[in-house]
Amino acid sequence: MNTTQGAGTGPVRTARSARVVIVDDHAIFRSGLKADLDPSIHVVGEAATVEQAIAVIAQQRPDVVLLDVHLPGGLGGGGREVIAGSAALLTTTKFLALSVSDAAEDVVAVIRAGARGYVTKTISGAEITDAVYRVAGGDAVFSPRLAGFVLDAFGTAPADIADDELDKLSARELEVMRLIARGYSYKEVAKELFISIKTVETHVSAVLRKLQLSSRHELTKWAAERRLL
Amino acid sequence: MTTVPARPPLVRRGDRFLAGVCSGLAMHLGWPVRNVRVAMVLASLAGGAGVVFYAWLWIMVPTADESARRQARRPASPIAPAVSREPVPASVPRAAAPAGTGASLGGPGAVPPGVADGGRGVDAAPPDARGYASGGQAPGHASEAARPPWFRFREMRYGKEILLGVGLLLAGGILVAQLLGVDVPLGTLIPAAAVLGGASIAWMQLDETRRAGLVDKTKADQAGGWARLAAGLALVVAGVLVMVSGSGSWEQTWLALLASVAVLGGVVLVLLPWALKFWRDLEAERAGRIRETERAEIAAHLHDSVLQTLALIQRRAANEHDVVRLARAQERELRGWLFEDPGKDAGQLSDRIKAAAAEVEDLLGNAVEVVSVGDAPVSEGHEALIQASREAMLNGSRHGGGTVSVYLEASDGRAEVFIKDRGPGFDLQDVPEDRLGVRESIIGRMNRHGGTATITSTSEGTEVRLGFPAAPQDSTEGKP
């Protein structure tokens, strides 16, 4: 999973900086992640439980929250509950889910709660830095595995004109998802499809929106089979 | 009753005078046939007892043919089978509840053959069915536990016959005594017998419950148990009432019944909280035991896998390559254990691709990430696809030197595999003719089996695209 989504675009944005809160119940992982992140990213707070996380996020109002999917405390909802508890800040604070879990229900649950992306914990420091900036800029971050989940949930047949636009991916979106699932970075996707990186980002954001909002029958069924809804 | 010597089973034999009863009985008891016949005739003279006995055996005892047919279906003969042949658990159901109850109920009051026959008739069919049903199960404890507890009594195998015999003897004795002019206090004996019978039914239930550990029972078993308990209780109450009231007057009996039910209700009311608490304690203990078992299983798994791997990693801490490889292998194993859906069909295409990826990871140490969408059962042509994928993963891992991304998209009609690495790339034209890895193992193999293989390589990485079977129009992407 440590494929480099958007590798090579990071250096362009080094002039920027971002304020980040790390939410994870493992202190070792938090300190490791802090050491890995680019110096331009300022970690302004840490939290280990759902309650701490909601409090720290409300107090610090960071640009990005790096959020573990599985967290102790609260009502047992983990990362999903943190996002729900910080719903008022969703316009200014973006959430990027971090997980060691491969389970589709974990991943898609936080995405549907409002996270802007999902990466695994084995991702490298440069990659996570890039992902943080991408999320802070309002884009979505898809790992190959999340793209695989999306293709699984929405099916691999493109939408007809008649379909509800939320319920299926367009042919272009399918192509983008397939390439991401194959390990392509955004830049590589853009090159492969002869479109701009901005367009790729637009497609990915559109897919993320569909994943969050769609009540598509198959998606519901798919989610229910994985005890998601 | 386990000391019964080995005897031939009781069947009606071919060398018959009337119905073959006497010869069969003689064979079974090991007596001369003549003696048996004489005894039967003598018994017939004594008030027709011999005739009744003969008729009963005629009805009850199967002929040798029938018995053989039954034995073909069931290991043991239905009536007092020879214990020399240890029956498979499937035949244990002999101590069936209905017959036992019938014997106790009818016990003292001279069981007419019809009643006994009824009980037998009811019970004759089900054991066969059960024999069939449990024939498919593994013999031994597994199938033993799967059966309702009242079928589980080994010791009770002849209990029904013995109860029946005791009852008949008692009834016979009473009849004979009355014939001889002795005044038998039937008014006392019948209620007493009812009390004894009811109590034994209820106690048998308790015994079973204890045997089943009071816990591992299904609802259906409990319902049967409750019915038997209620029947026993009713018998005991009725017996006690009749005995105490001392008269057959219905009014008095009804009054007494009312009073006793009221008293019983009061007792139940008082004891109920204790019973409930007892039950809850049992349930809690049971739940605790299940949790403990689960915890032990997880601990065992972690010990066998994770702890061993951690120990290995500490010993090899100097060798980064080994550490990464061990960690990856352990991660894969643990993920499989935690997240795999046990209900999913094993051996699907995605499983095979993942297994190939794991193999390559183990071999070369670089991570191979597999993302799969859809799935399909593995067909013959898929084997070539899997082998070619494996070869491509090996190449990617060896020459790319980093993570290899594998994407599988499969449906029943078509499967595609993409293998991408981020190595320096190569030009297929530059590969020497004698190097068969790419040309033969990937491209040649796929073409031979009716699939396609294309390789795109740039300085930023290489991607191998495999498709099976060949698509009508190749790949929707910009490049072929």
Side-chain angles (χ1 to χ4, degrees):
Chain A
M1 193 105 15
N2 18 351
T3 37
T4 50
Q5 46 259 21
T9 57
V12 181
R13 306 184 185 181
T14 38
R16 302 171 58 181
S17 75
R19 298 171 70 251
V20 164
V21 165
I22 299 178
V23 181
D24 195 297
D25 52 329
H26 289 100
I28 300 176
F29 181 78
R30 287 202 306 267
S31 56
L33 184 59
K34 241 165 45 171
D36 272 355
L37 283 172
D38 193 87
S40 64
I41 292 177
H42 306 291
V43 177
V44 294
E46 292 180 33
T49 65
V50 172
E51 289 87 355
Q52 280 176 23
I54 294 174
V56 169
I57 292 164
Q59 187 198 339
Q60 294 291 341
R61 297 177 174 257
D63 300 320
V64 175
V65 177
L66 293 172
L67 182 66
D68 190 8
V69 173
H70 292 279
L71 279 180
L75 303 170
R80 199 174 20 158
E81 205 179 324
V82 174
I83 300 177
S86 314
L89 304 170
L90 266 183
T91 45
T92 54
T93 298
K94 311 293 184 206
F95 289 83
L96 176 59
L98 280 175
S99 174
V100 291
S101 168
D102 268 357
E105 55 264 44
D106 294 340
V107 178
V108 179
V110 286
I111 295 289
R112 279 183 81 96
R116 297 291 298 169
Y118 156 82
V119 290
T120 43
K121 285 185 175 180
T122 47
I123 192 171
S124 75
E127 286 164 345
I128 199 149
T129 302
D130 186 64
V132 166
Y133 280 127
R134 197 170 285 288
V135 168
D139 292 326
V141 173
F142 271 36
S143 68
R145 197 165 295 271
L146 180 54
F149 289 154
V150 168
L151 289 169
D152 226 358
F154 282 90
T156 46
D160 293 332
I161 316 290
D163 278 328
D164 184 343
E165 65 131 2
L166 275 183
D167 285 352
K168 278 208 166 184
L169 303 184
S170 71
R172 208 51 157 174
E173 286 162 356
L174 272 175
E175 279 173 0
V176 171
M177 279 299 116
R178 274 213 184 90
L179 288 173
I180 291 174
R182 279 156 64 175
Y184 281 59
S185 66
Y186 286 9
K187 193 179 133 201
E188 287 167 328
V189 173
K191 203 173 143 207
E192 178 84 20
L193 298 179
F194 305 108
I195 54 179
S196 71
I197 292 181
K198 201 70 223 161
T199 313
V200 174
E201 286 168 349
T202 310
H203 284 310
V204 173
S205 293
V207 173
L208 185 85
R209 196 173 65 89
K210 288 185 183 179
L211 186 60
Q212 286 171 343
L213 299 180
S214 174
S215 56
R216 174 189 155 80
H217 170 68
E218 277 85 359
L219 183 66
T220 322
K221 184 165 156 269
W222 178 85
E225 274 168 9
R226 288 160 175 77
R227 298 183 299 280
L228 189 60
L229 297 178
Chain B
M1 54 187 111
T2 48
T3 57
V4 179
R7 294 177 186 283
L10 181 57
V11 289
R12 287 185 284 130
R13 313 206 72 86
D15 53 339
R16 59 175 72 181
F17 190 71
L18 251 177
V21 166
C22 288
S23 64
L25 199 59
M27 186 69 94
H28 180 65
L29 296 175
W31 294 353
V33 184
R34 175 189 297 270
N35 291 11
V36 177
R37 290 200 169 128
V38 168
M40 197 64 86
V41 171
L42 285 179
S44 304
L45 294 179
V51 175
V52 173
F53 185 52
Y54 193 95
W56 184 55
L57 282 182
W58 192 346
I59 295 164
M60 297 304 304
V61 175
T63 64
D65 284 353
E66 283 169 0
S67 173
R69 246 180 287 131
R70 261 195 230 202
Q71 285 214 351
R73 280 178 283 167
R74 236 172 21 166
S77 152
I79 291 190
V83 263
S84 57
R85 180 177 37 231
E86 177 65 13
V88 194
S91 70
V92 175
R94 291 275 67 225
T101 317
S104 317
L105 279 169
V111 184
V115 169
D117 184 37
R120 182 76 64 185
V122 163
D123 156 309
D128 283 341
R130 275 181 234 124
Y132 276 131
S134 47
Q137 295 173 353
H141 283 290
S143 70
E144 186 91 25
R147 197 167 300 117
W150 59 80
F151 296 146
R152 230 181 269 163
F153 277 165
R154 264 162 198 287
E155 310 89 306
M156 292 301 294
R157 212 183 317 156
Y158 307 118
K160 180 181 56 179
E161 281 81 5
I162 286 174
L163 276 177
L164 201 64
V166 168
L168 284 173
L169 276 180
L170 269 177
I174 290 167
L175 279 178
V176 169
Q178 274 186 332
L179 277 179
L180 294 180
V182 180
D183 183 27
V184 181
L186 274 182
T188 317
L189 268 184
I190 291 176
V195 169
L196 279 180
S200 58
I201 290 173
W203 286 340
M204 267 156 58
Q205 172 64 23
L206 182 67
D207 195 25
E208 268 167 30
T209 325
R210 279 234 313 276
R211 189 178 307 268
L214 280 163
V215 281
D216 52 348
K217 298 216 301 170
T218 63
K219 283 260 178 341
D221 298 353
Q222 282 179 359
W226 282 115
R228 293 178 62 193
L229 192 66
L233 209 61
L235 263 183
V236 171
V237 169
V240 167
L241 275 181
V242 174
M243 213 169 4
V244 171
S245 67
S247 74
S249 147
W250 277 111
E251 274 160 48
Q252 271 191 359
T253 311
W254 273 119
L255 267 178
L257 188 67
L258 211 64
S260 58
V261 165
V263 169
L264 274 180
V267 169
V268 167
L269 201 66
V270 171
L271 289 183
L272 202 60
W274 272 286
L276 280 179
K277 185 180 178 306
F278 180 62
W279 182 249
R280 273 194 216 108
D281 286 353
L282 269 176
E283 288 286 300
E285 190 206 318
R286 178 188 175 195
R289 215 167 43 222
I290 290 171
R291 267 200 304 276
E292 185 58 31
T293 314
E294 258 170 18
R295 203 199 65 82
E297 192 185 313
I298 291 170
H301 182 91
L302 291 183
H303 176 264
D304 289 349
S305 59
V306 179
L307 284 185
Q308 305 278 14
T309 307
L310 285 177
L312 269 177
I313 285 177
Q314 286 169 35
R315 292 220 321 252
R316 306 258 183 101
N319 188 335
E320 192 188 347
H321 188 253
D322 276 359
V323 169
V324 170
R325 190 153 71 184
L326 281 168
R328 280 294 297 177
Q330 182 55 61
E331 181 189 346
R332 218 167 43 228
E333 193 268 345
L334 199 57
R335 275 185 196 288
W337 193 63
L338 289 173
F339 301 127
E340 284 290 291
D341 181 2
K344 193 171 153 284
D345 288 347
Q348 297 277 86
L349 185 57
S350 67
D351 296 325
R352 295 288 302 276
I353 295 283
K354 279 175 189 160
E359 210 180 306
V360 172
E361 246 179 42
D362 270 348
L363 212 58
L364 298 172
N366 290 320
V368 180
E369 295 285 357
V370 180
V371 172
S372 69
V373 171
D375 217 337
V378 177
S379 73
E380 205 173 315
H382 283 146
E383 292 293 341
L385 182 68
I386 293 163
Q387 291 305 322
S389 302
R390 182 175 177 277
E391 193 63 33
M393 289 179 215
L394 274 173
N395 281 335
S397 185
R398 193 175 289 136
H399 303 299
T403 300
V404 176
S405 303
V406 178
Y407 172 63
L408 162 74
E409 188 176 313
S411 63
D412 287 335
R414 181 167 160 80
E416 282 180 292
V417 184
F418 301 85
I419 300 104
K420 184 175 172 59
D421 68 68
R422 301 191 164 273
F426 67 97
D427 191 343
L428 194 56
Q429 307 302 324
D430 297 346
V431 177
E433 283 296 328
D434 57 330
R435 294 289 300 279
L436 296 179
V438 171
R439 226 187 298 279
E440 250 326 285
S441 302
I442 300 176
I443 302 176
R445 179 180 268 142
M446 289 308 293
N447 289 339
R448 271 199 305 282
H449 288 86
T452 54
T454 48
I455 297 173
T456 327
S457 193
T458 67
S459 59
E460 284 177 5
T462 304
E463 188 177 43
V464 179
R465 306 168 186 186
L466 308 174
F468 175 85
Q473 95 276 8
D474 203 20
S475 115
T476 48
E477 280 81 40
K479 286 184 199 171

